[in-house]
Amino acid sequence: MGQFGFGQSVPRTEDPRLLRGEGRFISDFSLPNQAYGYVLRSSHAHARINSVDVSAAQAAPGILGVFTSADIQADGLGTTSCKIPRKRPDGSPMYQNPHPGLVGDRVRFVGDQIAYVVGETLNQAKDAAELISVAYEPLPAVVETAAAFEPGAPAVWDDCPDNISNVFELGDEAAVDAAFARAHHVTTQHFVISRIAANAMEPRGCIGEYNIHEGRYTLHGCVGTLHSVRRMLATEVFKVPENRFRVICGDIGGAFGSKGVTSTENILALYAAKKVGRPVKWVGERSETFLSDDHARDNVSDVELALDENGKFLALRVRTLCNLGAYLTSDRTLLATFGNLGSLAGVYTTPSIHVRVHGMFTNTVATATYRGAGRPEASYLVEGIIDRAARETGIDRVELRRRNLIPADAMPYKTGLIFQYDSGEFEKNMDDAMQLADCDGYEARRAKSKAGGKLRGLGITNPIERAGAPPGPETAEIRFDPSGTVTLFVGTKSQGQGHDTMYKILMSHMLGMDSDDVMVLEGDTDKVAFGTGTFGSRSAIVGGSAVHKTAGKIIEKGRLLAAHLLEAADSDMEFDRGVFTVAGTDRSVTLQDVARAAYRPGALPAGMEPGLFETATWEPDGQTFPNGCHVCEIEIDPESGEMDILSYVVVDDVGNVINELTLEGQVHGGVVQGVGQAVMEHMIYDPDGGQLTSGSFMDYAMPRADDICSIEVHSRPVPTKTNPLGVKGAGEAGTVGALPVIMNAALDALRPLGITHIEMPLNSEKIWRAIRDARA
């Protein structure tokens, strides 16, 4: 392809093979003598299991094994668990009960796992599962977040009668209370953030394999944190040495958090593979993954903002209930509840902030990290309360933001809640976005819409998030071959982000390599020494910095060898774009020539180790804060409630841009996911029986291309100094800004009717009913 530098628009190198159908997803390959697994799931949200009879299933044609809770308990199978220290309101340790893999005494959500059937074919396993007889004794269930907090609510766990797993507080409560006491104005609002599903293009799946000769397990799966999964499986579940486990991942068709760590189905496939002596494959069907994939969001928050007489923010108080689902099985179930609470500070100078979060059990599937993992929720709360405060105080919403924005010359800036921003020009982002969106002409466009019988709204939000936060090192190995080509091994794992292209750009930029001479390898714990994995917009920051450090080692060794080849002092060697040159002369040698010489006997200086391959590990000691401004205009038909998104502008600061083309793609995808939650996506459980009523794409709406307009993306990079590349992360920025800007735009359109708040998702029926009630 050629050589590339930072900031160019480079087409993705992955796309040609994927478009030709040559991807290697979990459904695209099988192992010799492979069997198939199927999970029997609960049809009740909460019930006692009085008996499970598997005898008929075991005798069914083609069945190799039927496993229940009794089997895995007898074999001493362990569980993963949440390691984050938390406490209950009385100070006692956090209540947690990890999912055991298969349940034997009680089911706690529709879709809970009761038995695992292994057959010669998938259909035989399905048929046998229908022969399993389960005697249920239904129990009261609670599925709604706020309802679980009410006194007398059904208990998900008998020894946790109030359903509170943990409570977490952050900030200075006394300072906040004092600020509210002297406030000139206080704005309050109750916010409900709906439950959604990730719905990656490729459902979860795996193949479990056990090699009896080596006593070694191999998981072929779709997970983004391979080395962490290997450690958890080996040490916590199967209790064998870590080197007895291998995790291999091919292509992953999207994840957004849902495939970050191991799942119970991965464990069951590995367990069954050893028991039946054959590889076992499980791939979730879409109707099954709606029931069993981790959901996301599902928070209820009460927010209060205190202002002085000039509209300056004095303090912010937030009280949140987070729906954890029925089980707390790993840290990712808690991460979204607290990991990004610092984002509540936004880009504003609010001096005092206090937040209290209750983690609540319900009879639903677990919630966990999903694109943004707490940042969209925080951005929605702070940007939503600012718009409401502007309406109540009569201060223009842009002016109110401007009075409270952190100035660029205040960097580094310690916010009122944890985060310390190292860089950013927040006011310039807002000014640029408003100019690009022609906000000056908005009132004229609004009047035109009104004349046509439509309601027009404008939303403006200033999102900020954190990315690439410590801890979590990444390892990179650059290995030149004797012919001069190179393989880059990295511990991250692409799930559709375009890592192959990104890393080739880095290798081209740092070492002057032609991208056709670079092979990027990730996704195999036997080949990559170590990696923390891909999540939280960290791959370019941490993985890219590891590549940068490794490239530096390559250059230093190459400099010594080049000096020897050119009979010059190594201090006189200069390196630029893949070429070593003796300073002040035209004598030079390419890096690839140096690599070839590194493997030739007699070409090396005395004492130099042959070969050209280096490894380095890089761990961040600080975090980055991608930020920007989103401006959106919408139009609502008051007779039908239909909402059209007319224009969408994003100005983003993600630090130095590696690939302008894929950056725009990431922002576009993130925006659409945020729009999806704001406008249509909603996982709904029946509050009476606990059944999932939105368990298919007939009931769960997903955004399509015609649901959104063209998205205009502009970059305003302010490089960070927290990593050698100056990048800030971009994978989740679009979602963080989209959720609040759509909600604010809709409320702006409805404001003339006296509608001050409406909960997501903003489907046409909900908007129509709000308009009808307002008119009445």
Side-chain angles (χ1 to χ4, degrees):
M1 283 182 63
Q3 293 185 9
F4 304 103
F6 274 22
Q8 292 179 259
S9 289
V10 182
R12 292 184 4 145
T13 54
E14 300 94 332
D15 288 348
R17 67 177 179 86
L18 294 175
L19 292 170
R20 291 193 299 264
E22 297 169 1
R24 189 174 180 270
F25 300 92
I26 196 68
S27 292
D28 290 324
F29 72 100
S30 298
L31 296 177
N33 203 30
Q34 174 182 283
Y36 295 84
Y38 182 77
V39 181
L40 176 67
R41 300 184 182 276
S42 168
S43 57
H44 292 267
H46 197 193
R48 186 172 289 108
I49 298 177
N50 291 328
S51 66
V52 179
D53 185 355
V54 300
S55 56
Q58 289 173 327
I63 296 306
L64 304 174
V66 180
F67 305 101
T68 66
S69 174
D71 296 305
I72 62 175
Q73 288 183 19
D75 287 329
L77 206 67
T79 65
T80 59
S81 62
C82 184
K83 311 296 190 304
I84 298 170
R86 290 287 177 265
K87 295 185 181 298
R88 283 182 33 83
D90 62 2
S92 61
M94 169 181 68
Y95 185 91
Q96 62 169 311
N97 231 324
H99 199 285
L102 294 171
V103 297
D105 60 341
R106 190 181 293 191
V107 293
R108 289 181 167 84
F109 66 93
V110 174
D112 212 347
Q113 301 175 167
I114 299 172
Y116 194 74
V117 184
V118 181
E120 293 280 359
T121 69
L122 178 58
N123 284 336
Q124 287 176 326
K126 286 182 176 180
D127 290 344
E130 292 186 2
L131 300 176
I132 298 174
S133 176
V134 183
Y136 294 103
E137 180 184 334
L139 299 170
V142 60
V143 295
E144 295 180 334
T145 309
F149 193 64
E150 294 294 328
V156 178
W157 298 92
D158 291 343
D159 47 353
C160 185
D162 58 6
N163 291 320
I164 300 174
S165 164
N166 65 88
V167 61
F168 180 67
E169 295 191 56
L170 203 60
D172 189 335
E173 186 173 19
V176 167
D177 290 345
F180 271 89
R182 68 176 188 274
H184 176 74
H185 180 83
V186 173
T187 293
T188 65
Q189 181 60 57
H190 180 76
F191 294 93
V192 177
I193 299 177
S194 54
R195 174 181 284 239
I196 56 174
N199 284 322
M201 186 178 293
E202 178 198 25
R204 290 184 299 115
C206 65
I207 301 176
E209 183 182 8
Y210 181 75
N211 187 317
I212 191 171
H213 304 291
E214 298 177 353
R216 196 167 194 234
Y217 296 88
T218 299
L219 174 68
H220 303 263
C222 41
V223 296
T225 55
L226 283 77
H227 291 82
S228 297
V229 166
R230 180 181 68 174
R231 177 189 55 77
M232 285 190 291
L233 290 172
T235 62
E236 297 181 38
V237 180
F238 291 92
K239 302 169 185 175
V240 297
E242 192 170 346
N243 59 9
R244 298 291 181 91
F245 253 95
R246 182 182 185 185
V247 179
I248 303 173
C249 292
D251 291 313
I252 298 178
F256 314 113
S258 66
K259 300 171 186 172
V261 296
T262 195
S263 65
T264 50
E265 291 89 353
N266 293 344
I267 294 169
L268 293 172
L270 289 162
Y271 171 78
K274 183 177 181 181
K275 297 292 285 188
V276 304
R278 293 169 59 175
V280 175
K281 184 174 189 175
W282 172 84
V283 177
E285 298 178 355
R286 188 65 68 177
S287 58
E288 181 180 15
T289 58
F290 266 108
L291 292 173
S292 60
D293 281 8
D294 290 339
H295 295 166
R297 317 295 197 223
D298 203 348
N299 300 339
V300 176
S301 294
D302 289 292
V303 181
E304 300 171 272
L305 178 65
L307 303 90
D308 70 11
E309 61 276 11
N310 297 314
K312 289 288 288 182
F313 302 160
L314 299 176
L316 182 70
R317 181 189 288 137
V318 181
R319 300 291 179 262
T320 296
L321 303 178
C322 289
N323 194 329
L324 302 176
Y327 296 92
L328 198 54
T329 302
S330 70
D331 288 347
R332 67 185 297 270
T333 307
L334 274 188
L335 278 173
T337 71
F338 78 92
N340 289 288
L341 290 177
S343 300
L344 286 166
V347 294
Y348 307 106
T349 57
T350 315
S352 301
I353 303 173
H354 183 261
V355 57
R356 180 180 297 126
V357 178
H358 285 81
M360 305 302 303
F361 287 120
T362 62
N363 293 112
T364 64
V365 72
T367 59
T369 51
Y370 170 74
R371 198 170 195 171
R375 291 93 122 188
E377 299 95 309
S379 184
Y380 171 52
L381 297 183
V382 68
E383 293 293 329
I385 200 71
I386 291 173
D387 261 26
R388 186 174 182 90
R391 291 193 296 269
E392 292 179 355
T393 61
I395 303 173
D396 177 78
R397 55 189 166 166
V398 174
E399 175 59 25
L400 184 59
R401 285 173 168 82
R402 196 180 301 280
R403 292 181 190 181
N404 291 280
L405 283 170
I406 300 168
D409 59 11
M411 298 296 172
Y413 187 87
K414 177 68 172 66
T415 72
L417 196 67
I418 304 180
F419 289 165
Q420 177 163 311
Y421 302 150
D422 68 292
S423 60
E425 297 176 351
F426 308 139
E427 188 168 15
K428 287 185 178 180
N429 289 341
M430 188 171 71
D431 289 340
D432 286 357
M434 290 177 60
Q435 181 179 3
L436 290 164
D438 185 24
C439 287
D440 289 342
Y442 168 64
E443 289 302 332
R445 294 190 296 274
R446 188 171 196 164
K448 185 177 180 180
S449 293
K450 183 178 181 180
K454 302 291 183 69
L455 302 169
R456 197 179 190 104
L458 174 72
I460 300 173
T461 57
N462 296 312
I464 190 167
E465 55 159 332
R466 71 167 178 173
E474 285 300 337
T475 298
E477 178 186 357
I478 297 175
R479 185 187 302 173
F480 276 87
D481 307 309
S483 62
T485 57
V486 64
T487 303
L488 171 66
F489 300 83
V490 286
T492 55
K493 182 67 191 81
S494 178
Q495 300 139 34
Q497 298 95 328
H499 285 187
D500 189 78
T501 311
M502 177 193 74
Y503 284 123
K504 285 179 178 177
I505 291 173
L506 294 181
M507 292 289 284
S508 179
H509 180 78
M510 297 169 187
L511 297 179
M513 297 294 300
D514 188 294
S515 60
D516 288 337
D517 293 329
V518 179
M519 173 70 73
V520 178
L521 194 152
E522 55 180 4
D524 189 336
T525 56
D526 271 12
K527 296 179 180 179
V528 178
F530 177 75
T532 299
T534 293
F535 56 89
S537 304
R538 67 186 303 278
S539 296
I541 299 168
V542 190
S545 295
V547 173
H548 180 274
K549 186 176 181 180
T550 311
K553 291 184 176 182
I554 290 288
I555 293 170
E556 284 311 303
K557 181 172 182 179
R559 187 190 310 277
L560 298 176
L561 182 50
H564 177 73
L565 296 174
L566 296 173
E567 298 181 339
D570 57 86
S571 59
D572 291 334
M573 300 305 303
E574 297 177 344
F575 181 76
D576 182 51
R577 298 184 181 182
V579 178
F580 291 98
T581 303
V582 180
T585 75
D586 59 358
R587 297 166 57 212
S588 63
V589 61
T590 68
L591 176 60
Q592 287 182 295
D593 288 336
V594 169
R596 296 184 188 103
Y599 290 92
R600 288 203 311 267
L604 303 176
M608 178 175 284
E609 183 179 3
L612 188 58
F613 39 84
E614 296 287 349
T615 301
T617 300
W618 191 86
E619 181 172 20
D621 56 9
Q623 48 205 343
T624 72
F625 296 95
N627 61 87
C629 181
H630 291 220
V631 181
C632 174
E633 280 189 46
I634 60 96
E635 196 174 57
I636 293 173
D637 182 347
E639 301 307 316
S640 66
E642 289 286 342
M643 182 172 73
D644 289 326
I645 300 172
L646 304 177
S647 67
Y648 202 110
V649 171
V650 180
V651 171
D652 254 336
D653 168 18
V654 296
N656 286 330
V657 176
I658 296 176
N659 186 351
E660 189 71 43
L661 186 65
T662 53
L663 170 62
E664 287 193 22
Q666 285 286 302
V667 174
H668 286 180
V671 165
V672 172
Q673 285 185 269
V675 169
Q677 179 171 10
V679 175
M680 62 188 70
E681 296 186 49
H682 196 188
M683 296 300 294
I684 303 173
Y685 284 93
D686 174 19
D688 295 325
Q691 293 293 320
L692 183 64
T693 61
S694 56
S696 75
F697 286 136
M698 294 293 289
D699 310 292
Y700 185 93
M702 291 280 285
R704 305 183 308 181
D706 59 357
D707 290 315
I708 192 167
C709 62
S710 176
I711 304 169
E712 188 176 351
V713 180
H714 295 264
S715 293
R716 280 201 77 260
V718 180
T720 179
K721 296 181 180 179
T722 60
N723 64 74
L725 303 181
V727 297
K728 293 182 179 179
E732 293 158 294
T735 310
V736 177
L739 183 62
V741 80
I742 292 291
M743 299 298 294
N744 283 357
L747 286 175
D748 182 57
L750 297 170
R751 177 169 51 88
L753 301 180
I755 299 172
T756 60
H757 188 70
I758 185 170
E759 301 291 3
M760 65 181 72
L762 299 172
N763 58 55
S764 57
E765 180 188 7
K766 186 179 290 186
I767 294 174
W768 177 82
R769 289 186 182 278
I771 293 172
R772 182 198 62 180
D773 294 345
R775 285 174 169 171

